[in-house]
Amino acid sequence: MWDPVKYLDYADLRARPFYDLIGRIPAEKPRRVTDLGCGPGNLTADLAERWPDAIIEASDSSPEMVEAARSRGVDARVLDVNDWVPEPDTDVVISNAVLQWVPEHRVLLRRWVDLLPSGATLAFQVPGNFDAPSHALVRDLARTEEWAPRLADVVLRENEAVDSPLGYGALLADAGCAVDAWETTYLQRLAGADAVLEWITGTSLRPVKEALPGADWDHFRAQIARKLDEAYPPRPDGTTWFEFRRVFVVAVVP
């Protein structure tokens, strides 16, 4: 279950890749803009400001996120990204930090290119930091004798799914698209105790929390907190540096 309140921790930092992504979208007057994985809707609303004449379509697989989006006035619906089919007038598709949860999303990308109208833009970004300590330490802990029976599968799915800018560029160029692909590593200065733990609790640790009952989750959380504090030692002022790599792709359909 997604927690919209927890996800919005560090909302400004989480939003930056979204704005970097849509800033590279060349569409001037799209008819329909689709936000796949709209989350709590705090960023979807900005799409209407950029493209005021467009129909804004929003969806998310989490009922909790959709409810939060609707409370912000976003006309969102519950929908698995695997089941989405573009309307004929869809000129822009945006997927912000969603496809890492879909192991077969390369197949989805090719399908969308085939279904979208000529000139449409497909733009997405995914985390690319799955080899960083923030994720490697979680996987290592999950593989221990204590946790492996319940956690080995759930924490490895993201790591296996995400490709490099070159991989996505080749996939979409082979489909005939004009492709702009890049990566960025943000150096984020997080505040508060257990800052990196709090950051990943709202995203990558969500499947772990779902797989464990309350007391077990508290125990796992305490164990990983100690490891993360060693890997990301807080500064004397209480802040913590956190390197966060993202992979971006903007592709224009032939």
Side-chain angles (χ1 to χ4, degrees):
M1 179 182 296
W2 280 99
D3 181 350
V5 175
K6 172 57 67 175
Y7 182 81
L8 286 172
D9 285 350
Y10 307 111
D12 290 345
L13 294 176
R14 294 194 192 280
R16 185 176 174 186
F18 174 85
Y19 294 117
D20 288 349
L21 177 68
I22 66 171
R24 300 282 277 270
I25 296 175
E28 294 184 2
K29 294 183 178 180
R31 295 167 294 175
R32 179 184 297 267
V33 175
T34 300
D35 186 1
L36 296 176
C38 65
N42 56 309
L43 301 176
T44 310
D46 289 347
L47 300 177
E49 293 185 10
R50 173 165 177 182
W51 295 295
D53 296 328
I55 297 170
I56 305 299
E57 175 186 338
S59 62
D60 199 283
S61 62
S62 165
E64 294 79 18
M65 287 295 195
V66 168
E67 182 179 355
R70 288 175 176 167
S71 71
R72 288 181 167 82
V74 175
D75 186 17
R77 58 175 172 150
V78 177
L79 180 70
D80 189 308
V81 69
N82 290 284
D83 299 326
W84 177 74
V85 178
E87 297 291 340
D89 61 349
T90 303
D91 290 328
V92 173
V93 181
I94 299 167
S95 177
N96 183 56
V98 173
L99 294 178
Q100 73 271 17
W101 300 106
V102 185
E104 300 301 325
H105 66 261
R106 295 169 186 82
V107 177
L108 277 184
L109 293 171
R110 285 298 303 264
R111 184 194 308 164
W112 293 344
V113 169
D114 290 340
L115 294 174
L116 288 166
S118 177
T121 299
L122 173 59
F124 64 92
Q125 66 92 3
V126 290
N129 61 332
F130 300 113
D131 292 328
S134 56
H135 289 66
L137 289 172
V138 173
R139 293 196 300 271
D140 290 345
L141 180 58
R143 290 188 180 112
T144 61
E145 182 177 354
E146 180 178 7
W147 300 111
R150 287 175 287 178
L151 295 180
D153 291 337
V154 298
V155 298
L156 291 177
R157 291 179 297 180
E158 288 180 307
N159 188 56
E160 296 170 348
V162 171
D163 209 337
S164 65
L166 178 60
Y168 289 124
L171 173 74
L172 293 166
D174 288 347
C177 296
V179 183
D180 180 13
W182 71 99
E183 65 179 69
T184 299
T185 298
Y186 299 94
L187 183 58
Q188 299 174 332
R189 196 171 184 178
L190 307 181
D194 296 323
V196 174
L197 174 61
E198 294 298 331
W199 177 276
I200 65 174
T201 296
T203 53
S204 60
L205 271 184
R206 180 183 60 87
V208 176
K209 186 176 182 179
E210 289 181 356
L212 298 176
D216 285 348
W217 161 245
D218 291 340
H219 183 42
F220 184 92
R221 191 179 187 279
Q223 289 182 352
I224 197 61
R226 290 192 295 271
K227 296 177 181 295
L228 290 172
D229 277 346
E230 293 176 1
Y232 300 95
R235 291 163 45 84
D237 64 1
T239 63
T240 303
W241 289 120
F242 181 48
E243 291 184 318
F244 197 41
R245 176 176 174 260
R246 314 292 290 196
V247 175
F248 299 80
V249 180
V250 175
V252 178
V253 175

